[in-house]
Amino acid sequence: MSQYGTPEHFILHISDTHFVADNELLHGAVDSDANLAGLFERLERAGQRPEALVFTGDLADAGDPQAYARLRAIVEPAAEKIGAEVIWVMGNHDNRATFRSGLLDAEPTQESVDAVYDLDGLRLIVLDSTVPGHHHGEITDEQLVWLREVLAEPAPHGSLLALHHPPVPSPLELLELVDLKEQHRLEEVLRGSDVRGILGGHLHYSTSCTFADIPVSVASATCYSQDLIGADGGLRGENGGQSFNLVHVYGDRVLHSVVPLAESPTLYEMSIETLRAFQALDPEEQLRVMAESANR
């Protein structure tokens, strides 16, 4: 048995799908629909069965109702097939009214989209960090009061917080213009709570940090990613590097793993049975087998 035990929860963390109006390509080059559909095809082939799919915002590029309809048409059948709950989080490119009606089957109001989900003892809290008409993030006084009340009673397996604007610095200076403002106010509510991890998006690249002594994991986008070492320090979106995250929650830790969206050529394959047989060999025999494999 593994020294880490078996994960208590398995979540798929996806972000920034940026679905556009029907029959269009994002930035004239990216097929957002095909990218996401490919992710679920790969998930099915691998036999992976997460209990929840968490989408941390910018689901539609311009809040288009058709975009949300196509998104649901891809995600919901895939989720039903694997028995996963779908959790939507608002992003700055989303429109609250069409988000509510198109994804939640709710009244198309401008109220913030905040929610709590119970995943068999793991509490997942959705916090709407968007500001209608703007691209930066804010958490209102009312939201902070609500969040404090939610966290007043710890959940059996702790909590994860999902929001679009992650409370992390960036190596891209320009992104500070659109980050989460007045982060210290959120920090005061989270510090000392049962929140074990923060899931974010928005940045279009994978990164991690800590906030209020809580690990923060940012999932890249499935549409396009950001070049972090551009020549002039500006922004350069690139049609490559797309990825999503696997989140495994253990009793004493949370593991975040980045999975590239594109599948690369195979160098070698080893089944579990073969690996166990290899581990049973003495060290000299292991070296011989490795050498033979390298020369093939």
Side-chain angles (χ1 to χ4, degrees), residues 228-252:
L228 293 181
I229 51 173
D232 62 355
L235 299 181
R236 188 183 79 87
E238 53 186 356
N239 192 5
Q242 299 94 334
S243 63
F244 58 99
N245 288 10
L246 310 179
V247 183
H248 291 89
V249 180
Y250 293 80
D252 62 348

Side-chain angles (χ1 to χ4, degrees), residues 13 17 21 35 39 45 61 65 90 106 124 147 156 158 184 219 250 285 295:
H13 178 195
T17 53
N35 283 2
L39 184 161
R45 291 200 311 271
D61 189 59
M90 268 284 298
L124 196 139
L147 180 60
H184 66 279
Y250 293 80
E285 189 67 11
N295 291 327

Side-chain angles (χ1 to χ4, degrees), residues 262-278:
E263 295 185 72
S264 301
T266 301
L267 291 178
Y268 67 87
E269 291 183 300
M270 183 179 291
S271 68
I272 293 177
E273 291 75 15
T274 302
L275 180 59
R276 286 173 178 164
F278 176 80

